Amino acid sequence: CKLQECLCISRVKRIGTVIMLRALKSPSANTISPQPVCFLHLQVVIENPLELYRVEVEILDVNDNAPSFPWSEFNLEITESAALGSRFPLESAQDLDVGSNSLRSYLLSANQHFVLDIQTRNDGSKFAELVLQSPLDREQQKTHEMVLTAVDGGSPLRSGTAQITVTVLDANDNVPVFDRSVYRVSLVENAPRGTLVLKLNATDLDEGANGEITYSFSGHAPLKVRELFSVDSHSGEIRVKGVVDYEKASVYELYVQAKDKGPSAVAVHCKVLVDILDVNDNAPEVILTSVSTPVQEDAPPGTVIAVISVMDRDSGENGAVDCQIPGNVPFQLHSSFKNYYTLVTSEFLDRESVSEYNITLTARDLGSPPLSTRKTILVQVSDINDNPPRFIQPSYTVYVTENNAPGASICSLTAFDPDSNQNAYLSYSILEGQIQGMPVSTYVSINSDNGNIYALRSFDYEQLRNFQIRVQAQDAGFPPLSSNVTVNVFVLDQNDNAPVILSPLPRNGTVATEMVPRSVDAGYLVAKITALDADAGQNSRLSYQMLQATDPGLFSVALYTGEIRTIRRFFDKDAIRQRLVILVKDNGQPPLSATVSIIMSVVDSVPESLSDFGDLSLSPQPPSNLALYLIVSLSTISLIFLVAIIVLAAVKCYKDRDSLGGYALSSLGTACCSFEPEPPAEVFKKSNLNLQIATGAKVPTNCVEVNSNPGNLSQAYCYKVCLTPESAKRDFMFLKPCSPGTPRNNAARGADNLALSSQSRCSSVNNGATTPNEVKLHSSSVLNINLLVEFVR
């Protein structure tokens, strides 16, 4: 029975419940099946414990379809010589309902000549024949019109009507006659198209056209029969037209009529019963009723994996099925009852050895030749959470260029877990910690799904050079397992700081002024440009060059020291005021630069103040009160700072006088005591400057040397600030790297080497220990160095 809706029962929790379903539509129930009964066969599986039941659901019909005729009007031609009692089959009405709701009877409207005779087929369906009750007289009435009504037996009653028009013809008094009224033949299913089923034979005693017979299906031959078979109109041969399937119908009823070609020809009818013989043309069908997968590797033997039903649409031995599985798998196939099997484990499973099994089930029928079907059942073995996550590397090193964009990804960590499913799902997190006193979560974050680490802030190499974080990977098993890995992040320097001119400082915020005696010789040191770059490495290596000059042949600047010297002696024709523009450029990529403008005044002797700059077309500027206030403020701050240093040095010397070997605190110009106060961690954490004020025969007393040797650099740098007798100016210069005998204190790492000295190269004598002639100072800003230089001047 074919249903237009699909019914599925997935789980039955209570046994004994009566389920009654009524089919809304069953179009094939009254056409082929001998009984108007429709059943739906179901298999019900009950779990815990596992039981299997067979359920048959009878689909009951409701009267929702009215009978209908294939045509709304029937035209019959009946000769006037038709004998009383002649029968004229009418087109049958069709009712999609079954049982009592199907077609029940036919009714004919009142008339004088015809009555209705209702016939019943073998399958219980009814058809009507028009029976001549009284003779026809064409001369009295040529046509007769009647209404044929088909009614069903449902409640409420439904009906359909058709108009019958009978045309009375002149007599053709002999009709064809079949040798039998019922024929029965057998036909093998799947017979090729064109196969001869039966040759009909009908005779007509008339001659000529009245005796020539034509064959055709009668009006109440079902449409399905017309699609499967054909009748030759001249020979009466019935042949196969479509695909004959035993599984759809085992017998077919064919209604054939014979009619001569004479005027007022009368058709006669016969019935042909075609029995279909079954052949083994259907392979077995394998249906997985229930599959329990994946199965844990510690499942005991006998655990049910799947419930399998096997069916074959053929009959007899052609429908008998045998099932088998390979013998090299740890599973067995048990037959529960007819056409039902259970797949169970035969031993313990090991997921680490085999994670899944492809079990091939072979179902073979007993027909000749036998047909078989193979179905593969995938059984996955689930794992328990017994493996922690593992990172690809034991530790990670990440290099990040400073000034990175906040939110940018700096690296990606990957871990793997040999477990499966949820046990292998990993989530990443950063363990709690601190970086420079701040939580690590304020510096970086991690994507818990893919392990991408993102920077939450822009890193500054000058403030933070490296830090360390610990990342944890944890699976989602129960209980969860985890592992940790260390990530070392190194910040790379970028050329993001332009050189800063420390000296000479411009006056009135525009240009710096220097005075040069007219009597100096070539090579005289007029001034020295002192600059500082906060970057490291090549990014802080400075070079100097002359950008503009009033007389390019008069002065030159040293490329790396910034010393401005005379090229020749002054002549009377030389301008007494020379303007120089010096470019200071670092060695970064791209390079950054700064410029300073210096006005050199050529004088016979150094005056107290400068005179008018008329030949340079510069207007004299009145003294600025703001500059005065700034000088006084800087001087005051420098004095306070130096006093604080001396007090700290005195306290240190007092405490360590026994360890100093008898050295006493004396004046700063002749002897020094070494002091190195312990700086607070918050203030001097990033400080790496080592200030030395040295005395000796080779170093003037107006020189200060500041050295630094970063722990991660291969060489140190020296800066010198000195007072030359000729210029009486402060001088801060960058010299070539100096290589001390041993590395300095590690507290000084991370900044450039500063040294204050005269015009000689720096020479470090500090072997890692503090000497009495050396004063060490930790500072956190270049401004303090500048203030010290101002004070020394």
Side-chain angles (χ1 to χ4, degrees):
C1 183
K2 296 182 179 178
L3 298 178
Q4 293 183 355
E5 296 181 8
C6 178
L7 176 64
C8 177
I9 300 178
S10 61
R11 187 185 295 268
V12 176
K13 294 186 177 179
R14 297 183 179 179
I15 304 301
T17 302
V18 178
I19 301 175
M20 297 185 67
L21 302 176
R22 174 166 295 177
L24 298 180
K25 294 183 180 180
S26 180
S28 60
N30 62 349
T31 57
I32 303 301
S33 300
Q35 296 180 357
V37 179
C38 182
F39 288 93
L40 180 62
H41 299 279
L42 303 175
Q43 293 84 37
V44 179
V45 178
I46 299 179
E47 299 177 355
N48 298 325
L50 180 66
E51 296 182 5
L52 189 65
Y53 293 89
R54 180 182 178 88
V55 178
E56 291 185 352
V57 180
E58 181 180 1
I59 310 301
L60 302 180
D61 187 37
V62 296
N63 190 25
D64 57 342
N65 294 281
S68 62
F69 290 92
W71 298 281
S72 62
E73 184 177 357
F74 299 103
N75 294 318
L76 299 178
E77 295 180 351
I78 303 176
T79 180
E80 61 181 339
S81 61
L84 297 179
S86 298
R87 295 176 174 271
F88 307 96
L90 301 176
E91 294 287 343
S92 299
Q94 303 293 328
D95 193 341
L96 298 179
D97 298 322
V98 297
S100 61
N101 296 326
S102 64
L103 182 64
R104 184 71 174 270
S105 180
Y106 295 92
L107 301 176
L108 185 67
S109 61
N111 64 91
Q112 298 179 358
H113 299 277
F114 298 92
V115 294
L116 203 62
D117 186 17
I118 301 174
Q119 299 282 336
T120 303
R121 298 188 183 92
N122 292 340
D123 60 353
S125 61
K126 300 179 182 300
F127 63 94
E129 292 182 341
L130 199 62
V131 181
L132 182 62
Q133 186 178 11
S134 60
L136 299 175
D137 188 357
R138 178 182 172 277
E139 286 71 25
Q140 291 182 0
Q141 187 177 357
K142 293 183 179 181
T143 60
H144 300 271
E145 294 184 353
M146 296 160 284
V147 176
L148 178 63
T149 304
V151 296
D152 60 18
S155 179
L157 189 70
R158 295 180 180 272
S159 63
T161 61
Q163 182 74 26
I164 300 177
T165 302
V166 178
T167 303
V168 181
L169 304 176
D170 286 337
N172 179 15
D173 54 354
N174 288 293
V175 296
V177 178
F178 286 101
D179 55 359
R180 284 186 293 177
S181 61
V182 178
Y183 297 86
R184 193 176 194 98
V185 294
S186 298
L187 179 67
V188 178
E189 70 169 327
N190 301 324
R193 287 180 173 87
T195 301
L196 179 62
V197 179
L198 177 67
K199 180 177 174 55
L200 298 176
N201 184 25
T203 59
D204 194 320
L205 300 178
D206 294 328
E207 295 180 353
N210 292 334
E212 294 181 6
I213 301 174
T214 58
Y215 301 90
S216 64
F217 285 113
S218 64
H220 37 262
L223 179 61
K224 185 65 176 178
V225 171
R226 298 173 186 265
E227 294 176 352
L228 296 178
F229 302 95
S230 65
V231 177
D232 189 279
S233 61
H234 299 288
S235 63
E237 292 180 349
I238 301 176
R239 294 184 178 274
V240 176
K241 181 182 177 182
V243 178
V244 181
D245 191 355
Y246 173 85
E247 285 71 35
K248 293 183 178 179
S250 60
V251 62
Y252 290 95
E253 292 184 7
L254 283 67
Y255 292 90
V256 183
Q257 67 180 10
K259 185 178 180 180
D260 59 29
K261 294 183 179 180
S264 303
V266 178
V268 295
H269 302 81
C270 72
K271 180 169 67 173
V272 180
L273 297 177
V274 181
D275 295 324
I276 308 301
L277 303 180
D278 183 35
V279 296
N280 190 26
D281 61 337
N282 293 281
E285 297 180 6
V286 179
I287 302 174
L288 298 179
T289 304
S290 176
V291 179
S292 300
T293 182
V295 58
Q296 289 190 353
E297 58 180 336
D298 57 350
T303 301
V304 177
I305 304 300
V307 177
I308 306 164
S309 64
V310 181
M311 61 178 296
D312 195 315
R313 297 175 60 189
D314 295 323
S315 61
E317 289 188 353
N318 295 334
V321 181
D322 179 48
C323 293
Q324 293 179 351
I325 61 173
N328 58 349
V329 293
F331 299 94
Q332 292 179 349
L333 196 63
H334 294 166
S335 177
S336 54
F337 47 91
K338 181 179 180 180
N339 295 337
Y340 284 90
Y341 299 86
T342 56
L343 181 66
V344 300
T345 58
S346 59
E347 58 187 62
F348 285 99
L349 306 178
D350 186 5
R351 195 198 75 89
E352 285 67 29
S353 299
V354 181
S355 61
E356 63 181 22
Y357 295 89
N358 288 314
I359 304 173
T360 302
L361 174 67
T362 303
R364 182 179 290 104
D365 60 25
L366 302 181
S368 179
L371 299 178
S372 62
T373 299
R374 287 181 173 84
K375 189 169 186 71
T376 301
I377 303 175
L378 176 63
V379 178
Q380 295 180 338
V381 182
S382 64
D383 187 34
I384 60 175
N385 190 27
D386 56 347
N387 293 284
R390 301 175 186 174
F391 285 93
I392 298 179
Q393 301 177 205
S395 64
Y396 291 82
T397 301
V398 180
Y399 297 93
V400 182
T401 304
E402 68 170 332
N403 301 322
N404 58 289
S409 176
I410 61 175
C411 70
S412 178
L413 306 184
T414 302
F416 68 95
D417 195 316
D419 294 327
S420 62
N421 298 330
Q422 184 177 358
N423 295 333
Y425 179 79
L426 302 181
S427 61
Y428 300 86
S429 62
I430 297 178
L431 299 180
E432 294 183 358
Q434 288 190 344
I435 301 176
Q436 293 184 342
M438 297 292 292
V440 69
S441 58
T442 61
Y443 283 82
V444 292
S445 66
I446 191 169
N447 189 313
S448 60
D449 296 327
N450 54 31
N452 290 339
I453 299 179
Y454 301 92
L456 297 181
R457 60 174 62 184
S458 180
F459 298 135
D460 189 356
Y461 175 83
E462 287 72 34
Q463 296 182 1
L464 178 65
R465 298 196 175 187
N466 61 78
F467 58 91
Q468 189 180 87
I469 60 175
R470 291 187 61 80
V471 177
Q472 181 185 78
Q474 179 174 291
D475 59 28
F478 183 81
L481 302 177
S482 63
S483 61
N484 304 331
V485 71
T486 301
V487 180
N488 298 300
V489 181
F490 292 90
V491 181
L492 303 180
D493 184 39
Q494 192 178 41
N495 191 25
D496 58 344
N497 292 282
V500 177
I501 307 298
L502 298 181
S503 68
L505 294 177
R507 301 191 178 218
N508 300 330
T510 57
V511 296
T513 61
E514 293 289 346
M515 287 180 288
V516 184
R518 182 179 296 272
S519 60
V520 296
D521 296 328
Y524 176 77
L525 178 61
V526 178
K528 190 164 70 68
I529 308 299
T530 303
L532 176 65
D533 195 315
D535 294 322
Q538 292 295 324
N539 295 331
S540 64
R541 185 176 181 181
L542 304 181
S543 61
Y544 305 83
Q545 67 182 66
M546 187 81 69
L547 194 61
Q548 295 178 9
T550 303
D551 187 352
L554 188 55
F555 296 97
S556 66
V557 59
L559 179 61
Y560 296 109
T561 63
E563 292 180 350
I564 301 175
R565 296 180 181 271
T566 58
I567 299 177
R568 58 176 175 81
R569 294 180 58 87
F570 289 98
F571 302 131
D572 294 337
K573 63 179 182 179
D574 294 331
I576 62 174
R577 294 176 182 83
Q578 300 284 335
R579 181 186 180 92
L580 306 179
V581 178
I582 309 301
L583 175 68
V584 182
K585 182 174 63 175
D586 59 25
N587 200 31
Q589 292 296 330
L592 302 178
S593 61
T595 59
V596 60
S597 297
I598 305 175
I599 295 178
M600 299 293 184
S601 298
V602 182
V603 296
D604 295 332
S605 61
V606 179
E608 293 295 331
S609 62
L610 296 177
S611 60
D612 183 24
F613 296 160
D615 58 338
L616 295 177
S617 299
L618 298 176
S619 300
Q621 298 293 332
S624 173
N625 293 332
L626 180 61
L628 179 60
Y629 296 153
L630 182 60
I631 293 173
V632 173
S633 300
L634 292 177
S635 301
T636 305
I637 294 174
S638 301
L639 180 59
I640 296 174
F641 186 73
L642 186 59
V643 170
I645 292 174
I646 296 174
V647 172
L648 291 176
V651 172
K652 183 67 176 178
C653 290
Y654 178 77
K655 291 181 178 180
D656 301 336
R657 57 189 175 182
D658 294 336
S659 61
L660 291 177
Y663 289 104
L665 182 64
S666 63
S667 64
L668 188 62
T670 58
C672 279
C673 68
S674 176
F675 66 92
E676 189 172 0
E678 191 69 20
E682 296 78 9
V683 178
F684 299 121
K685 176 180 292 186
K686 305 174 186 177
S687 176
N688 49 20
L689 300 179
N690 187 8
L691 177 63
Q692 300 178 2
I693 302 178
T695 61
K698 297 183 180 180
V699 182
T701 57
N702 55 355
C703 291
V704 179
E705 180 181 358
V706 182
N707 291 330
S708 174
N709 187 12
N712 56 351
L713 296 179
S714 61
Q715 57 186 359
Y717 291 86
C718 298
Y719 294 83
K720 293 184 179 181
V721 176
C722 66
L723 303 178
T724 59
E726 294 82 3
S727 61
K729 300 293 183 180
R730 62 205 178 284
D731 205 2
F732 192 83
M733 59 185 293
F734 176 79
L735 294 181
K736 296 181 179 179
C738 62
S739 300
T742 58
R744 295 184 182 272
N745 196 323
N746 290 333
R749 63 179 180 178
D752 299 321
N753 293 329
L754 299 177
L756 299 172
S757 67
S758 63
Q759 300 175 7
S760 63
R761 299 281 295 274
C762 69
S763 176
S764 175
V765 296
N766 190 351
N767 297 329
T770 305
T771 62
N773 294 332
E774 183 179 0
V775 178
K776 293 186 178 180
L777 172 63
H778 291 277
S779 176
S780 60
S781 69
V782 177
L783 178 61
N784 293 333
I785 300 298
N786 192 21
L787 296 178
L788 289 174
V789 172
E790 289 289 339
F791 181 79
V792 173
R793 186 183 69 85

